[in-house]
Amino acid sequence: MGDSADRRAEGREFGARLAAGRLPGGTVGCGAGNGSAGANSCLVNYHHKLPVTAMFGSGTLSSSDGRQRFPARGKSITARHLNKYFVSEGISTCTHVSDQHSTFGTTVIVATHREAQYVLDEILGNATDLPITEHATGTHGVTLVNFGLSTDLVGKQLSPRIRDLGKITLYPMGAKSDYGERFPRAGPLLTKRTRC
């Protein structure tokens, strides 16, 4: 009985310190005035500075998934009918997690949209101290536009997990025979289907 009361008291104390913008280690400036996003950034930054966190990763790799779906009640501009998942209407969330296992961004999205258009938005709007250089996402989180923007303009590496990659034909620019001669090992990948 005493242990649970102590834990509740510690939780209330931590919540009061978070609301006041004072966490252990001198972290300040992330009180309730910055909203829930500011409080989340404060927690992610505090977590990033802990010595044990470095055992999981450096904070440079992140991943996202938009497959969390929730039913919605009442009227909502983002809720849609999706019979496969909801009795009536529902929403999806696109969640971004670092390799240090901290969630640095969550966006409510329309359940019928691909999350590809939201992937770069959360990375570029990252208000935490995480030095993200690479992002992994699923098939629905990547498009050719994302590849072009992330690598050429933004300088981040996009590492998608593409479903059924062995059934996809990669189409090169130019004649197929040129790639077979110039790239003897990679040429077959660019000119015919691969069987994985």
Side-chain angles (χ1 to χ4, degrees):
M1 181 77 172
D3 288 339
S4 63
D6 291 341
R7 279 183 285 205
R8 282 195 301 270
E10 287 175 11
R12 282 193 296 272
E13 181 184 335
F14 183 81
R17 279 189 275 158
L18 177 63
R22 280 184 244 103
L23 288 176
T27 305
V28 293
C30 53
N34 293 335
S36 62
N40 186 56
S41 295
C42 182
L43 289 173
V44 170
N45 292 343
Y46 177 70
H47 182 259
H48 178 63
K49 292 176 184 173
L50 293 174
V52 72
T53 307
M55 294 172 58
F56 297 108
S58 60
T60 59
L61 175 66
S62 68
S63 65
S64 64
D65 191 19
R67 296 293 180 162
Q68 301 88 25
R69 293 185 173 91
F70 303 98
R73 289 185 175 197
K75 303 243 182 222
S76 171
I77 59 172
T78 55
R80 296 291 186 273
H81 287 281
L82 200 58
N83 293 338
K84 184 177 179 181
Y85 300 104
F86 312 119
V87 173
S88 59
E89 292 184 328
I91 59 169
S92 291
T93 59
C94 186
T95 307
H96 288 67
V97 180
S98 77
D99 59 354
Q100 295 180 334
H101 302 283
S102 58
T103 302
F104 66 89
T106 301
T107 306
V108 175
I109 62 175
V110 177
T112 54
H113 287 184
R114 287 182 63 159
E115 66 257 21
Q117 56 207 27
Y118 304 97
V119 168
L120 284 179
D121 189 34
E122 199 67 50
I123 295 169
L124 297 177
N126 178 19
T128 67
D129 294 339
L130 295 171
I132 296 171
T133 58
E134 182 180 359
H135 184 75
T137 185
T139 303
H140 288 275
V142 65
T143 61
L144 292 175
V145 173
N146 281 10
F147 265 120
L149 287 174
S150 63
T151 56
D152 294 336
L153 297 176
V154 182
K156 310 272 186 209
Q157 180 178 346
L158 187 61
S159 303
R161 299 177 301 270
I162 301 174
R163 182 182 50 189
D164 298 329
L165 183 60
K167 297 177 183 175
I168 295 174
T169 303
L170 301 174
Y171 293 98
M173 303 286 280
K176 291 182 179 183
S177 60
D178 293 344
Y179 283 90
E181 293 171 8
R182 285 178 36 200
F183 307 105
R185 293 187 182 169
L189 296 174
L190 297 171
T191 57
K192 61 182 179 180
R193 286 187 183 215
T194 57
R195 304 272 184 227
C196 295

